[in-house]
């Protein structure tokens, strides 16, 4: 492909008042309205006492930030993308970035909890109005994980040296919900200081995530999955109180080592992966392993009786490829293995339970997505402003997932970057006639039919609207 005109024959001018760059926000924000985002915010977020009127019109400010994030904004200044061309004709109440920044900086811990309540009910409404979590009434997985986000400067509140030497971070904790046939959505999030322990606050977050999952329609079997940082009695107790199951990586402590050593060699079952998977320790691709189970292992045996838990210990082992099979001309005397145990009360057969536990890695997709979108930056020096930004990103993420679920089977599992490229970043020219607006979209847009299906679903044609 090459330019079709000489440079002297081409000019450019930013002077068209009837164009918009993000016509896809029309159906996306219509879906948010149908699910009550503005109403929930007005009911629950009360920034009383905020200076300069920062707490006024919280609903307009929250929806402005969510819309900007859905369009790809990853900083407060980027939210100005909402104020170009004919956007004010399509949306009322768009706020300037300076106003939105003042609003975020007015948040306290209590206000952040109010925003969590909005997020929780908004997710339940999205799940009720879209096929966001298919088969949620049968089985759902709640995955808990933490991540670090690098920040710069000593004035960034909460930015501290933690896991990564010499790097200041903030340390978000998140929980996601998925079913065997859906991509994950975000149940709840928490912003924490950079040096906070991975499991700090985990039992409370687990309780909230499990309750949110039930509100979102996950009324069947719920299984909490997490890494070894969350293998503690408090997390398991939270699962038991909520009537949920657990599947937790344990790590290798002395008790676990003794239990694994006692497994008979004939108890190991061979498994072969359909595609090679990375080893969690070495990163090497492996295509087969062996699995065994200890049906009744008692965890936390050194603690008081109320904290002890007896359940299944399932162990996966793979050959340790870092150790050579031969030394000189002598063959190996015995194979060297690496063991990956997890503790669970999942009622599924051993190999299925192992496969479902390994699928916990799906939460990493959400973390990667966050750092490629609104969490590319934590834009404020104020800790609670960044905590609010984190929760607003979770709302925007869930809104785009629901948008994809309404659009097509492909978009239901597409990444949010793909959803933006196909459905949101669609230019349009606005035409007005007889008190009606018409969006003129690009001819032969590759995803025209998917976009039209979405638009007609959440924004029915005038004839259908009149019939209702």
């Amino acid at each position: 492909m090459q330019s079709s005109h000489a440079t002297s024959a081409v000019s450019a001018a930013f002077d068209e008042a009837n164009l918009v760059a993000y016509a896809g926000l029309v159906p996306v924000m219509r879906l948010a309205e149908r699910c009550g985002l503005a109403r929930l915010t007005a009911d629950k977020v009360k920034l009383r006492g905020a200076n300069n009127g920062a707490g006024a019109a919280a609903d307009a400010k929250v929806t402005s930030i969510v819309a900007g994030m859905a369009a790809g904004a990853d900083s407060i200044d980027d939210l100005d993308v909402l104020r170009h061309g004919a956007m004010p004709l399509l949306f009322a109440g768009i706020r300037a970035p300076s106003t939105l920044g003042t609003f975020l900086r007015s948040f306290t811990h209590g206000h952040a909890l109010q925003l969590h309540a909005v997020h929780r009910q908004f997710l339940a409404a999205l799940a009720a109005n879209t096929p966001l979590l298919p088969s949620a009434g049968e089985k759902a997985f709640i995955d808990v994980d933490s991540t670090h986000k690098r920040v710069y400067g000593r004035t960034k509140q909460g930015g501290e040296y933690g896991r990564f030497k010499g790097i200041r971070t903030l340390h978000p904790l998140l929980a996601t919900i998925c079913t065997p046939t859906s991509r994950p959505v975000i149940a709840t999030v928490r912003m924490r200081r950079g040096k906070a322990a991975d499991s700090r606050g985990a039992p409370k977050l687990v309780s909230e995530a499990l309750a949110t999952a039930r509100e979102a329609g996950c009324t069947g079997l719920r299984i909490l999955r997490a890494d070894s940082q969350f293998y503690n009695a408090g997390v398991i107790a939270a699962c038991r109180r909520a009537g949920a199951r657990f599947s937790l990586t344990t790590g290798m402590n002395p008790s676990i080592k003794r239990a694994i050593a006692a497994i008979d060699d004939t108890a190991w079952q061979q498994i072969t992966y359909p595609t090679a998977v990375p080893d969690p320790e070495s990163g090497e691709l492996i295509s087969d392993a062996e699995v065994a189970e200890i049906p009744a292992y008692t965890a936390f045996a050194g603690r008081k009786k109320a904290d002890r838990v007896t359940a299944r210990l399932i162990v996966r082992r793979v050959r340790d490829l870092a150790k050579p099979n031969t030394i000189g001309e002598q063959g190996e005397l015995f194979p060297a293995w690496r063991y990956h145990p997890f503790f669970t009360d999942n009622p599924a057969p051993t190999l299925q339970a192992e496969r479902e536990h390994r699928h916990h890695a799906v939460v990493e997709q959400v973390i990667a997505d966050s750092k490629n979108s609104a969490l590319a930056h934590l834009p404020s020096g104020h800790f609670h402003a960044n905590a609010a930004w984190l929760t607003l990103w979770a709302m925007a993420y869930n809104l785009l997932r629901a948008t994809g679920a309404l659009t097509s089977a492909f978009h239901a599992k597409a990444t949010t970057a793909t959803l933006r490229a196909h459905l949101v970043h669609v230019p349009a020219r606005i035409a007005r006639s007889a008190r009606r607006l018409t969006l003129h979209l690009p001819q032969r847009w590759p995803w025209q039919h998917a976009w039209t299906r979405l638009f007609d679903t959440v924004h029915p044609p005038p004839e259908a609207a009149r019939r209702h």
Side-chain angles (χ1 to χ4, degrees):
M1 186 173 72
Q2 63 182 17
S3 300
S4 59
H5 294 79
T7 55
S8 59
V10 179
S11 61
F14 288 90
D15 59 1
E16 179 54 67
N18 292 317
L19 290 180
V20 295
Y22 305 116
L25 286 179
V26 174
V28 169
M29 296 312 294
R30 180 70 69 178
L31 176 60
E33 290 175 15
R34 285 191 172 189
C35 294
L37 178 57
R39 173 181 53 80
L40 290 170
T41 303
D43 290 345
K44 295 188 176 296
V45 180
K46 309 292 185 182
L47 273 69
R48 296 186 178 93
N51 296 327
N52 302 321
D59 52 345
K61 294 169 184 175
V62 164
T63 51
S64 293
I65 295 173
V66 169
M69 290 179 171
D74 63 12
S75 68
I76 294 174
D77 285 343
D78 282 355
L79 297 173
D80 210 20
V81 298
L82 299 178
R83 301 200 300 164
H84 70 274
M87 289 291 280
L89 293 176
L90 297 175
F91 301 100
I94 298 174
R95 296 303 194 260
S98 58
T99 301
L100 300 175
T102 301
F103 171 68
L104 291 171
R105 289 189 293 273
S106 299
F107 270 71
T108 64
H109 176 66
H111 299 139
L113 293 181
Q114 294 173 0
L115 201 59
H116 286 314
V118 175
H119 164 75
R120 182 171 172 172
Q121 294 190 24
F122 184 52
L123 175 58
L126 288 172
N129 287 277
T130 69
L132 185 61
L133 293 167
S135 304
E138 300 172 9
K139 179 184 288 188
F141 301 101
I142 295 86
D143 295 295
V144 178
D145 206 350
S146 64
T147 185
H148 286 263
K149 180 58 190 159
R150 185 173 188 176
V151 297
Y152 300 88
R154 295 178 179 273
T155 60
K156 182 81 78 170
Q157 291 180 353
E160 298 171 337
Y161 298 122
R163 178 182 300 176
F164 303 101
K165 184 176 180 181
I167 297 177
R168 293 179 182 273
T169 66
L170 287 171
H171 192 180
L173 182 65
L174 71 159
T176 64
I177 308 169
C178 69
T179 69
T181 57
S182 75
R183 283 182 68 94
V185 296
I186 300 171
T188 188
V189 290
R190 287 291 186 275
M191 182 63 75
R192 301 175 304 162
R193 298 162 54 194
K195 65 180 181 182
D198 285 341
S199 61
R200 180 179 179 183
K204 184 176 181 180
L205 181 129
V206 164
S207 296
E208 181 177 335
L210 291 171
T212 302
R214 181 173 289 278
E215 293 170 3
C218 301
T219 55
L221 179 64
R222 292 170 297 157
I223 302 175
L224 179 97
R225 303 182 296 198
D227 291 333
S228 58
Q229 296 92 332
F230 303 97
Y231 173 62
N232 61 63
V235 168
I236 293 177
C239 293
R240 293 279 172 90
R241 287 194 301 269
R245 304 301 181 103
F246 58 85
S247 185
L248 306 174
T249 301
T250 65
M252 292 291 288
N253 60 42
S255 175
I256 297 289
K257 290 179 180 178
R258 288 194 298 270
I260 293 175
I263 297 175
D264 190 271
D265 285 341
T266 61
W268 295 97
Q269 303 179 57
Q270 183 76 26
I271 60 172
T272 301
Y273 304 118
T275 57
V277 297
D279 185 276
E281 293 184 6
S282 66
E284 296 175 344
L285 293 177
I286 56 176
S287 57
D288 56 14
E290 295 180 354
V291 176
E293 175 181 344
I294 301 172
Y297 171 79
T298 300
F300 320 118
R303 302 187 60 168
K304 60 183 181 181
K305 188 174 181 180
D307 290 340
R308 299 172 191 168
V309 181
T310 300
R312 307 164 70 185
L313 183 70
I314 298 177
V315 185
R316 176 171 60 93
R317 70 179 185 180
V318 297
R319 293 292 296 268
D320 191 347
L321 301 180
K323 297 180 179 179
N325 292 335
T326 60
I327 302 175
E329 296 181 355
Q330 179 179 342
E332 67 176 358
L333 299 178
F334 54 86
W337 301 93
R338 281 200 302 275
Y339 297 92
H340 306 285
F342 66 96
F343 189 55
T344 184
D345 60 354
N346 184 347
T350 302
L351 295 185
Q352 180 182 340
E354 190 278 334
R355 183 171 62 253
E356 290 178 346
H357 178 78
R358 190 163 20 92
H359 192 251
H360 165 68
V362 72
V363 71
E364 298 294 342
Q365 298 176 0
V366 180
I367 293 173
D369 185 283
S370 73
K371 295 179 180 179
N372 287 326
S373 53
L375 293 196
H377 307 93
L378 290 169
S380 179
H382 294 253
F383 179 83
H384 295 302
N386 287 325
W389 183 266
L390 176 67
T391 305
L392 289 164
W393 160 73
M395 293 184 196
Y397 177 91
N398 290 345
L399 177 59
L400 286 176
R401 292 257 54 88
T403 299
L406 278 180
T407 303
S408 69
F410 168 79
H411 290 98
K413 295 191 175 183
T415 64
T416 54
T418 299
L419 294 175
R420 289 191 188 98
H422 291 190
L423 305 175
V424 178
H425 295 173
V426 187
R429 178 174 58 84
I430 310 299
R432 288 169 286 183
S433 176
R435 298 183 182 178
R436 291 176 54 188
L437 296 179
T438 301
L439 300 177
H440 291 276
L441 303 161
Q443 190 177 37
R444 295 196 298 181
W445 182 255
W447 306 281
Q448 170 185 341
H449 298 297
W451 196 96
T452 302
R453 186 181 305 113
L454 169 65
F455 184 86
D456 290 344
T457 301
V458 301
H459 198 289
E463 293 77 11
R466 281 197 295 269
R467 285 196 299 270
H468 291 287

